[in-house]
Amino acid sequence: FDLRNLINGLQGSKLLAGSVNAAALNIQTISPSKVIRKTAAESVTSSTTLQNDDHFSFSINPNNIYTFDIYAPMTMSAAGSIKIAVTMPAGATLELNGLVLGAGTAAYGETTSGGTGIALVTTLTSGILQVHGVVANGGTGGTINFQWAQNTSDGTSTTLLVNSHMITHMIS
């Protein structure tokens, strides 16, 4: 679908009043969104070491900007909670926000440093993890890896449940 051709075809019609210089429009071809679904629950027990999620990763091209959102129902002990991070290619910049929501309580954190854990500490034993990230990549392609672990080592598993999902968009 070429928007410039559509605009040129509508010039002078009753649907497009006035004129538009289609060649001067800044129209970019952007790749479609991608949805990544967790096909099995994933647990971390007695570990505060950030590990790559089994499902939530995607490839990025040089010199492009990407956004991603994660929605993950989860269970955990109030003592263990969760910490999150993202790894990315050298030269990329990051804005990362994380939120755990549950019955009457929430925990929020943010970072601009890849690989730096955000502690999302609550008294919840179940809730929803919501993550939003923006990555402006430099000149090297590579992979975005979502990482997580328990914030405090605990014998009760912190688990991201099946059908949790990540939605990615290339916006530039």
Side-chain angles (χ1 to χ4, degrees):
F1 176 75
D2 188 338
L3 186 58
R4 288 184 186 94
N5 287 339
L6 176 64
I7 291 171
N8 287 332
L10 292 174
Q11 295 287 352
S13 74
K14 291 182 181 180
L15 296 175
L16 183 62
S19 65
V20 175
N21 180 354
L25 293 175
N26 181 14
I27 299 172
Q28 298 177 355
T29 302
I30 303 295
S31 69
S33 299
K34 180 177 179 182
V35 177
I36 304 165
R37 182 179 72 89
K38 203 172 247 315
T39 56
E42 182 176 355
S43 297
V44 172
T45 306
S46 301
S47 178
T48 60
T49 302
L50 289 165
Q51 52 98 35
N52 289 346
D53 184 89
D54 292 345
H55 300 94
F56 297 152
S57 67
F58 62 100
S59 297
I60 62 174
N61 297 322
N63 305 310
N64 287 119
I65 299 172
Y66 296 82
T67 66
F68 61 91
D69 293 282
I70 295 172
Y71 302 93
M74 61 182 295
T75 60
M76 62 192 159
S77 75
S81 290
I82 190 169
K83 65 180 172 183
I84 63 170
V86 168
T87 63
M88 59 197 177
T93 61
L94 173 70
E95 295 174 28
L96 183 68
N97 301 287
L99 176 67
V100 173
L101 296 169
T105 189
Y108 173 81
E110 60 186 35
T111 188
T112 57
S113 299
T116 300
I118 300 173
L120 301 172
V121 179
T122 74
T123 57
L124 296 171
T125 57
S126 66
I128 301 289
L129 172 66
Q130 294 184 359
V131 178
H132 176 72
V134 178
V135 176
N137 199 21
T140 305
T143 302
I144 299 296
N145 290 300
F146 176 68
Q147 298 185 314
W148 61 281
Q150 290 181 317
N151 189 60
T152 301
S153 182
D154 189 78
T156 300
S157 297
T158 298
T159 303
L160 300 187
L161 301 177
V162 67
N163 294 323
S164 299
H165 60 280
M166 170 188 255
I167 303 170
T168 69
H169 307 277
M170 183 175 78
I171 61 171
S172 172

